Amino acid sequence: EVQLVESGGGLVQPGGSLKLSCAASGFTFSGSAMHWVRQASGKGLEWVGRIRSKANSYATAYAASVKGRFTISRDDSKNTAYLQMNSLKTEDTAVYYCTRHFGGSYPDWGQGTLVTVSS
Amino acid sequence: QSALTQPRSVSGSPGQSVTISCTGTSSDVGGYNYVSWYQQHPGKAPKLMIYDVSKRPSGVPDRFSGSKSGNTASLTISGLQAEDEADYYCCSYAGSYVVFGGGTKLTVL
């Protein structure tokens, strides 16, 4: 059974930093692209970014709204993906989900972790 | 990176059919056969319902079907049931990034 467990969310002040983790199990993590998707309260889903596998040079891509502030990384030895968030803004407040990307879709999602950016 | 356009809400009575549209551009929906649909109940993570425009994952009822014409994809739910009441999101690959629709709230009357 595929499991994705996010952690690291919490309250942070505007301009601050936070690093989220996504612990994966139940599939070949090293061969999978991992994506992050967020959802502000009462709003829709927003793609944040992704990191591909080693075979695809760990290539990353980001949404325009977070580019230059967020960084996605992974540690295949720990089956874990990360989302480093810097220069946080109030509009980054959301539940952040990590997802496994497979065949052009997201068949597996974590339970999400809440990030609140507020003074 | 503009969001795909979905109706904000649709409704139908039990047993009826509803269709949710998802309009993008030739750079996303129209350019790739990587359109997927997600169902989300309040407080829950999204659930994949349709992938690659029209394929259903194992366990998803065949009441759910997907299609695409040009830059517009559609999700049709036939034989509506009370448990289908939820938010639905379309999603498309767009080259180096991914884009979601704004979401549609389905109400079962």
Side-chain angles (χ1 to χ4, degrees):
Chain A
E1 178 193 5
V2 172
Q3 282 202 315
L4 298 167
V5 180
E6 302 95 336
S7 61
L11 175 63
V12 61
Q13 292 188 334
S17 298
L18 206 59
K19 187 174 185 177
L20 307 183
S21 299
C22 170
S25 62
F27 64 99
T28 305
F29 179 82
S30 61
S32 299
M34 298 300 295
H35 293 223
W36 289 89
V37 176
R38 68 184 181 182
Q39 185 172 36
S41 181
K43 303 296 184 181
L45 301 172
E46 180 187 16
W47 181 76
V48 172
R50 56 90 169 141
I51 184 166
R52 289 181 169 161
S53 64
K54 180 179 181 180
N56 291 289
S57 305
Y58 296 128
T60 56
Y62 301 92
S65 57
V66 307
K67 195 170 185 178
R69 300 187 298 122
F70 289 13
T71 301
I72 298 173
S73 61
R74 63 192 295 159
D75 185 337
D76 289 346
S77 69
K78 295 182 178 180
N79 283 1
T80 301
Y82 303 97
L83 177 63
Q84 175 68 48
M85 304 183 292
N86 298 332
S87 302
L88 281 162
K89 307 175 181 179
T90 54
E91 53 263 42
D92 294 320
T93 295
V95 172
Y96 284 73
Y97 295 100
C98 79
T99 71
R100 177 174 75 107
H101 190 247
F102 183 79
S105 64
Y106 302 117
D108 307 295
W109 296 69
Q111 84 289 349
T113 187
L114 176 62
V115 172
T116 303
V117 185
S118 174
S119 55
Chain B
Q1 298 183 10
S2 299
L4 306 176
T5 300
Q6 297 181 232
R8 296 201 67 168
S9 64
V10 297
S11 62
S13 299
Q16 289 187 332
S17 294
V18 295
T19 296
I20 300 172
S21 62
C22 169
T23 301
T25 69
S26 59
S27 296
D28 38 63
V29 174
Y32 306 92
N33 286 324
Y34 289 130
V35 176
S36 51
W37 290 89
Y38 301 86
Q39 177 192 67
Q40 188 180 37
H41 288 107
K44 301 294 187 181
K47 175 186 176 183
L48 177 65
M49 304 302 285
I50 295 287
Y51 68 100
D52 293 355
V53 176
S54 60
K55 298 177 182 177
R56 273 189 316 276
S58 174
V60 173
D62 59 6
R63 303 185 293 104
F64 291 83
S65 61
S67 62
K68 189 185 84 166
S69 177
N71 296 336
T72 298
S74 298
L75 172 70
T76 298
I77 309 170
S78 58
L80 271 177
Q81 298 183 5
E83 58 262 35
D84 298 335
E85 185 163 296
D87 294 324
Y88 290 84
Y89 296 90
C90 61
C91 175
S92 177
Y93 177 73
S96 58
Y97 63 95
V98 173
V99 61
F100 282 93
T104 298
K105 181 175 181 57
L106 168 63
T107 300
V108 180
L109 303 171

